[in-house]
């Protein structure tokens, strides 16, 4: 990481891997970012350029979105299945819609984890949503109750790097669902059975 202008510049690394060093347009060198940071940088470049994956036209951007959904699908399912297995003790069910036209005339794909206690409480399931809103420059990922993340996935390797984000989204969503019920953890089978970590 570089220290801001006016201070000595230095590179630091995290872990034991050797950073890739790439030239900066000003002539300064910076260490490359991990893939999750690269996704943010692709996102910000899209905002800057009004593009998505190099595409300018809405139909081309929608085609890229439709290609990204199958790439992210196994990771969205894995994140939800992990919560189902370890938190809900396999009492839940993961469903997926595939790419579809959304109510606001955008496109989306939704993965959901529902379970008996959540349904009995009358609250929404844990949701991971990929969506491309009608006025958006590019698509996003969204949790049911936790907000938006950029979705800039064009290759299997890029999709795989989103797994930690998808896990965090699912974990934050289930956390928020408990708080929608005033902190009532009775909807969490592992907690009810005393299987806390």
């Amino acid at each position: 990481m570089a220290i801001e202008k006016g201070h000595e510049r230095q590179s630091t690394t995290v872990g034991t891997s050797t950073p890739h060093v790439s030239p900066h347009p000003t002539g300064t060198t910076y260490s490359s970012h991990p893939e999750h940071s690269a996704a943010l940088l692709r996102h910000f470049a899209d905002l800057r350029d009004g593009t998505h994956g190099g595409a300018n036209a809405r139909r081309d951007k929608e085609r890229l979105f439709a290609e990204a959904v199958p790439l992210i699908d196994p990771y969205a399912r894995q994140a939800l299945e992990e919560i189902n297995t370890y938190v809900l003790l396999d009492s839940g069910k993961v469903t997926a819609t595939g790419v579809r036209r959304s109510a606001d005339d955008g496109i989306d794909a939704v993965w959901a984890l529902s379970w008996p206690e959540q349904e009995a409480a009358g609250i929404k399931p844990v949701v991971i949503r990929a969506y491309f809103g009608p006025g958006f420059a590019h698509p996003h990922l969204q949790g049911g109750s936790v907000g938006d993340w950029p979705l800039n996935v064009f290759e299997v390797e890029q999709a795989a790097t989103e797994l930690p984000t998808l896990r965090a989204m699912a974990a934050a969503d289930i956390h928020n669902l408990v708080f929608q019920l005033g902190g009532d953890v009775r909807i969490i089978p592992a907690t009810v059975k005393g299987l806390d970590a």
Side-chain angles (χ1 to χ4, degrees), residues 73-155:
D73 179 78
Y75 303 103
R77 288 176 186 272
Q78 180 178 345
L80 294 173
E81 286 293 355
E82 288 172 357
I83 286 184
N84 184 41
T85 299
Y86 299 107
V87 178
L88 303 179
L89 306 179
D90 289 321
S91 65
K93 179 180 179 184
V94 174
T95 58
T97 64
V99 178
R100 63 187 184 176
R101 187 64 52 192
S102 59
D104 64 359
D105 204 32
I107 57 175
D108 72 2
V110 175
W111 297 265
L113 170 60
S114 57
W115 68 103
E117 293 86 351
Q118 161 263 319
E119 292 171 346
I123 57 174
K124 294 180 180 179
V126 175
V127 169
I128 296 172
R129 179 179 180 229
Y131 73 104
F132 189 9
F136 288 26
H138 50 249
H140 289 84
L141 291 170
Q142 179 183 65
S145 65
V146 294
D148 298 341
W149 281 262
L151 175 60
N152 288 69
V153 172
F154 307 103
E155 300 169 5

Side-chain angles (χ1 to χ4, degrees), residues 39-58 60-62 64 132 135-140 150-152 154:
L40 283 172
L41 294 173
R42 288 191 301 272
H43 177 75
F44 296 142
D46 282 354
L47 289 174
R48 178 194 64 216
D49 301 338
T51 62
H52 175 60
N56 290 308
R58 174 70 188 202
D60 294 331
K61 293 176 182 182
E62 286 189 2
L64 290 173
F132 189 9
F136 288 26
H138 50 249
H140 289 84
L151 175 60
N152 288 69
F154 307 103

